[in-house]
Amino acid sequence: MHNPILHKLYQFRRVVVLLIICLVFAVMLPGIFLTWGNFRSVLYSVSLTGIMICGATFAVLLGGIDRTVSGNAAVSGACCCALILHFNSSDGGAVAAMAAGLGCGLLSGLFHGLVLSKFDIPAFLLTLATNQVLYGIVQYITGNQLINVMNCRLFTAIGSGRLLGIPIPVYILAACFVFSYILMNHTVYGRWLYSVGGNREASKLSGIPVKKVICTAYMISGFMGALSGIVLSSMNQQASSLQANGYENDVLAAIVVGGVSLRGGSGTLQGAMFGALLIGIISNGLRLLGVDAIYHDLVKGIIIIAAIAFDMYSSYKMSGLKRDGFFKRMKKRRQAAAA
């Protein structure tokens, strides 16, 4: 395809999809959807999954997957809240508690990185199993009870505070995005990451420290998952035994919708964040329309499939490849059989 207009549309196809969906909701919800307050609400709701995505994308680019983002969030939040109460809700205690929660995420990521780099175990199965272990640890920490933290201003400000009218979690998401983007696209490690995800054996033969690349990727994923757990606990001012359960599905869906290949070595963080925004905007629009919650997953699934189909179709058209129609293929088969 050499049409410059089509080429531009292809380059910004994901933006076009978002604009179309926003336009549809704007027409259906005049004066409600396209407001600063609603846009801020969307960013606030997307911030949690967005932080997780900034870390989990590293694992997916390796051709793996990290389903422990929710478990890391739950352990981090529970550990943080329990320690804050232990330190009588002091600011110093809150800092130490948050550091401990982030440390849990780093340790979890290091464990996965070491196991996956040494043994030929599918990342999906390993992280699925350890996610259950992490939730078992959360149940032990919480005793299957809510751990309420309401008197520590430093901690609660993370989830409920605002700066220049924008919620603090949005700033945290922005910082995570910038860090991950720079690491993926402007460092030697980023080139190693894509290389290992594309062909691990070839990367090993070329001298790339594959084990370090894998461990670092899963440690970043664990850290981001733990950070999102602290933010979530701060939003709710509590920790529970089922905190963040199910978030890993939304994270994976957003990454896949964003065009990051599950085979590894292909995709961008910008694409993954597009997936998060797409899901967040759809959820927000459905909620404003008063659609019953039981239909949300159905509608989101249909729209997501349509978005993926549009993305794949536009990529196919821009590739310049041509495919014969059904009847033409049948004619060629008959001619071949007759010959």
Side-chain angles (χ1 to χ4, degrees), residues 181-316:
Y181 178 82
I182 292 174
L183 194 59
M184 287 180 186
N185 298 281
H186 298 286
T187 65
V188 173
Y189 175 79
R191 293 194 292 272
W192 288 351
L193 180 72
Y194 279 93
S195 177
V196 174
N199 192 318
R200 184 177 298 189
E201 290 303 318
S203 299
K204 190 180 297 184
L205 292 173
S206 64
I208 294 176
V210 173
K211 186 175 181 179
K212 290 182 180 179
V213 171
I214 295 174
C215 287
T216 302
Y218 278 91
M219 287 177 71
I220 293 172
S221 181
F223 179 87
M224 297 290 187
L227 179 59
S228 67
I230 292 173
V231 174
L232 178 58
S233 291
S234 177
M235 287 178 175
N236 297 330
Q237 298 184 9
Q238 65 182 20
S240 68
S241 60
L242 293 177
Q243 180 168 278
N245 191 29
Y247 272 62
E248 69 276 10
N249 296 324
D250 288 341
V251 168
L252 182 59
I255 291 174
V256 173
V257 167
V260 181
S261 173
L262 292 177
R263 294 187 296 271
S266 176
T268 64
L269 182 62
Q270 307 94 289
M273 292 308 299
F274 155 79
L277 278 173
L278 178 66
I279 293 174
I281 288 172
I282 293 171
S283 299
N284 175 262
L286 294 175
R287 186 167 58 252
L288 291 177
L289 286 170
V291 177
D292 198 311
I294 62 174
Y295 300 113
H296 281 201
D297 288 340
L298 172 63
V299 177
K300 281 195 295 184
I302 293 173
I303 296 176
I304 287 170
I305 290 172
I308 294 174
F310 173 78
D311 186 54
M312 293 182 67
Y313 177 76
S314 61
S315 298
Y316 168 73

Side-chain angles (χ1 to χ4, degrees), residues 51-70:
I51 293 170
M52 293 180 179
I53 286 168
C54 287
T57 304
F58 282 86
V60 177
L61 285 174
L62 283 175
I65 193 173
D66 188 1
R67 291 189 62 87
T68 62
V69 288
S70 58

